[in-house]
Amino acid sequence: MTFTPLILSGKTAPRLGLGTWALGGGKDWGESGGQDAADAVHAALDAGICLIDTAPAYGWGRAEELLARALKGRRQQVLLADKCGIVLNKDGRPDHDLRPESILAQCDASLSRLQTDYLDIYLIHWPDPKVPLSDALGALERLKEQGKIRALGLCNVSADLLVSAAAQASVACVQNPLSLLDNKQEKVLAACAEKKIPFMAYGALGGGILSGKYHKEPNFRRSDARRYFYPYYRGESFSRAQCVAARIKELASQKDCAASAVALAWALVRGGVSGVLFGARCARQVQENAAALQIRLTEREAEYLEYGH
């Protein structure tokens, strides 16, 4: 396996990490089973994938609670990443909140649900237009001083915001979307390279569509993440995704692996990418995705996947 530094207290992490949005289930992904979740986490750890990424918004605490159960006796094996900044407002709807006092409370709540004393990395989930970035970063630095987090990071940021943050704090990681369907991160990747900040890609499977399992437009609920967050499941976007998925499937057949592993392998060889997160809801999916670490795509194969020639 290839490992890459994530500047987390001198530790290293594999270039693949387990994301737990789908694991948290709820309205975003449908209900998930506790045993399946535990099996998925254990399969990741057994495969050497020790970076696990979660957030309070993933099932509104359920993903964190499932992780707590799965990690009993194995916490020291894990580089645990969590996030702040998305909360339920008084109307019960998701909202931004990066006020310093809210960040401190959110962190304590996550630590309680996860049944741990610290987080290896704590990331701002989304920028909050109502709160100055300096205020949010100040709260994260306070959490570092208190020993509740080991490092801080940023998700879903522009290059300009990243550069501004890097001038104010030690940013250990940036987490932005990147896939064969969403490959427009040049400015952020360039900023990461300039500031020597690892870039972690998420959404590399396009919410699951690049696994090749969807052959016709699915009819998801409006609250399903594959309807409101990933714009690949309807109309022309679905047709384009199917073309990309067909190329992935073709190459996967040649390499005798799951299509998802090829899609992840492409993200791993994308210039400037330090690591890639993937979602899974059972041990089998983890094992299929983990095979990406063993795949070596040639430059020509990567170009074929991206451009079709």
Side-chain angles (χ1 to χ4, degrees), residues 18 26 41 48 51 60 72 95 101 126 158 169 231 249 271 293-294:
L18 176 64
V41 172
L51 175 62
W60 297 110
K72 282 186 176 180
D95 201 358
E101 63 272 23
W126 288 87
S158 66
K249 184 177 180 181
L293 290 168
Q294 312 301 330

Side-chain angles (χ1 to χ4, degrees), residues 178 189 266-274:
L178 185 142
L189 287 165
W266 173 87
L268 286 168
V269 299
R270 172 68 163 82
V273 172
S274 299

